[in-house]
Amino acid sequence: MAGAIRSATETGVTPLEAWQALQGSQVSVMMTEELREKAKIAFQREEVVFLHHVVAVAFPALPTLNAARKALRQGRVLVDGVVKKQHDALAPVPGSILLAHLGAVDSILPQVEGLLQAWNSKSERPEARIYLIQSDPVAGWAVVNKPCGMHCKPCGFNTGLVTLEGYLPALVEPPLTGTHCRCPRVCHRLDFRVCGPVLVATAEETMRRLKASFEHRKVKKEYRAIVCGRVGEPGSHWSISAPVEGADATTEIQVLSVVRCPHFDFLSELKLIPVTGRHHQLRQHCALLLGAPIVNEERPLFQAAAEAWQRRTGSALPPYHVRGGGNLFLQAVGITFPGDDDDAVTTTVEVSVSSRFERLLRTSQRAFEEGWRSTRDGRTVQLSVDGKTVGVVWGAGRAAGSS
């Protein structure tokens, strides 16, 4: 059990060794009318309650219907000593004893510590590395930095790739209390092209609580973005709302700074807070509502901003230009979440904004002042004081002196 584990720091073992040392356990629960009613309420059942409904509320380590069904299929749940694998088995009668084999650890990526070291050796920039930002082993959570170019967890299309979740046993130690997860679990998604803090659960009870906090919008995330164009004066702030993939979506916006740009006339640094958490919400709201796509946005979404850009500026959307190496200029910089069963107590974890942001703003302003401009055919040219061309960079590339 996780409660018997001492902190890895105190014992001198690594987080990976601590996860590998965990053993499975057996937990028993007596079936009662109260447990049946709890299952009915949790899964909105009118009369018929199945065994997997009861298992999902009786055992914190099996918090979802999928987890409960999987445990039944694997023969890890017994009722009065008899293995029950049927998916349509009814809830047992009061007085029955449910026993579940829990706590086994999922297979851990071979050589995960070496893979982690190899990834982190590719860059000295903090935002490009996988590292532990903050953790609370007693409460069973941690916050880890996810680099861009990495998925948070496995899903249908990336099963062959190493995701952030695969590296976590080498970074995050098991919880000191509660029922440990089968491995550290990412609690929310962060776009493949976006870096920043990601909340991780190591205890099943904490995982359920944090999932509920996300569902009830009690978790606040903050982002930084540099967008093409000028959307307001520095210090101005407002919110925008528009559906994303058919669901309501709201984003709070604050303009932090505005500089001149050879390609888009202006660049704006924005503070973005998604009130809702829709897929690609910030990127779509910036492009389609503000008419100010994020710098290095994917071409289809950049081009889709043309109508909103025309409406905002009265001119056509400039040609596509790659800046600062091609990475998307969107970064998660902070996350705030409720404490243990107490919404009044919150924890905020923040990271520094990448130095890439300040460098792009600085070099963009300098290139503009030096006379560099983009033409409608995608060329970047340098103009003299009298407006004559004195230098040309062919194609929609980077102006001289730009990052």
Side-chain angles (χ1 to χ4, degrees):
M1 290 291 291
I5 305 171
R6 289 188 297 155
S7 167
T9 302
E10 296 175 348
T11 60
V13 302
T14 67
L16 178 60
E17 291 170 337
W19 282 105
Q20 292 172 331
L22 292 177
Q23 301 295 321
S25 62
Q26 295 182 356
V27 178
S28 61
V29 175
M30 178 179 288
M31 181 65 189
T32 63
E33 283 294 341
E34 181 182 2
L35 191 58
R36 178 186 175 87
E37 287 301 313
K38 186 177 179 180
K40 286 176 65 175
I41 294 172
F43 300 107
Q44 300 178 350
R45 306 294 299 181
E46 294 184 0
E47 290 298 332
V48 179
V49 177
F50 292 102
L51 176 58
H52 58 265
H53 295 129
V54 175
V55 169
V57 298
F59 301 103
L62 304 171
T64 66
L65 289 180
N66 284 339
R69 293 190 186 105
K70 183 177 181 180
L72 288 169
R73 288 196 306 269
Q74 294 175 340
R76 294 192 288 119
V77 177
L78 290 75
V79 178
D80 290 333
V82 178
V83 173
K84 294 288 186 179
K85 292 188 176 182
Q86 303 94 323
H87 73 279
D88 57 350
L90 294 175
V93 298
S96 300
I97 301 298
L98 283 69
L99 185 143
H101 296 277
L102 305 172
V105 175
D106 288 342
S107 59
I108 295 174
L109 193 67
Q111 306 299 320
V112 63
E113 291 176 319
L115 292 173
L116 176 63
Q117 183 178 6
W119 177 282
N120 286 341
S121 67
K122 294 188 294 184
S123 176
E124 292 297 325
R125 292 186 290 110
E127 72 275 9
R129 313 186 79 181
I130 309 168
Y131 65 93
L132 180 65
I133 303 171
Q134 186 173 328
S135 68
D136 187 337
V138 175
W141 61 261
V143 178
V144 174
N145 185 72
K146 183 194 85 69
C148 62
M150 177 180 292
H151 293 287
C152 283
K153 59 194 308 179
C155 55
F157 61 86
N158 68 3
T159 52
L161 302 176
V162 180
T163 65
L164 177 66
E165 208 166 69
Y167 292 101
L168 293 180
L171 281 175
V172 183
E173 64 181 282
L176 298 182
T177 60
T179 305
H180 66 78
C181 297
R182 297 176 66 87
C183 263
R185 298 301 187 201
V186 170
C187 296
H188 59 102
R189 63 175 177 260
L190 186 61
D191 192 358
F192 178 81
R193 297 188 66 194
V194 178
C195 61
V198 170
L199 187 55
V200 173
T202 58
E204 293 288 355
E205 297 84 355
T206 302
M207 184 68 167
R208 298 178 77 168
R209 177 175 58 80
L210 292 175
K211 286 287 188 182
S213 295
F214 276 99
E215 290 173 1
H216 293 94
R217 300 180 184 175
K218 296 178 180 178
V219 179
K220 178 181 177 181
K221 293 188 282 184
E222 182 180 328
Y223 293 76
R224 288 290 185 278
I226 297 180
V227 299
C228 307
R230 183 176 192 153
V231 297
E233 297 297 324
S236 59
H237 57 88
W238 67 98
S239 64
I240 55 177
S241 297
V244 173
E245 297 181 349
D248 292 340
T250 299
T251 301
E252 296 178 359
I253 301 168
Q254 181 179 350
V255 180
L256 300 179
S257 64
V258 179
V259 301
R260 301 308 300 264
C261 174
H263 309 297
F264 308 109
D265 204 15
F266 294 95
L267 293 180
S268 298
E269 181 185 16
L270 305 181
K271 171 183 175 180
L272 301 174
I273 296 177
V275 179
T276 50
R278 312 304 180 196
H279 185 54
H280 288 177
Q281 173 180 320
L282 300 181
R283 295 168 64 179
Q284 292 199 43
H285 276 181
C286 286
L288 305 181
L289 267 69
L290 294 182
I294 295 172
V295 174
N296 294 339
E297 182 55 87
E298 294 174 6
R299 284 180 182 267
L301 187 53
F302 178 88
Q303 296 297 340
E307 181 179 348
W309 178 285
Q310 176 79 37
R311 187 169 57 247
R312 178 174 58 81
T313 66
S315 60
L317 179 70
Y320 185 87
H321 281 269
V322 173
R323 306 300 310 278
N327 287 335
L328 187 70
F329 275 86
L330 176 65
Q331 179 187 356
V333 296
I335 185 167
T336 299
F337 52 96
D340 187 10
D341 298 323
D342 186 357
D343 293 344
V345 179
T346 60
T347 298
T348 298
V349 179
E350 298 175 325
V351 297
S352 299
V353 179
S354 170
S355 59
R356 296 172 51 245
F357 283 60
E358 186 276 334
R359 186 166 61 249
L360 175 63
L361 296 172
R362 172 171 40 83
T363 56
S364 179
Q365 178 71 36
R366 186 182 69 204
F368 187 91
E369 292 172 353
E370 291 174 351
W372 290 97
R373 301 290 187 274
S374 288
T375 63
R376 295 305 306 175
D377 60 2
R379 293 184 304 155
T380 300
V381 301
Q382 187 178 27
L383 304 177
S384 63
V385 176
D386 59 4
K388 294 182 179 181
T389 300
V390 296
V392 179
V393 176
W394 289 97
R398 292 176 290 174
S402 67
S403 172

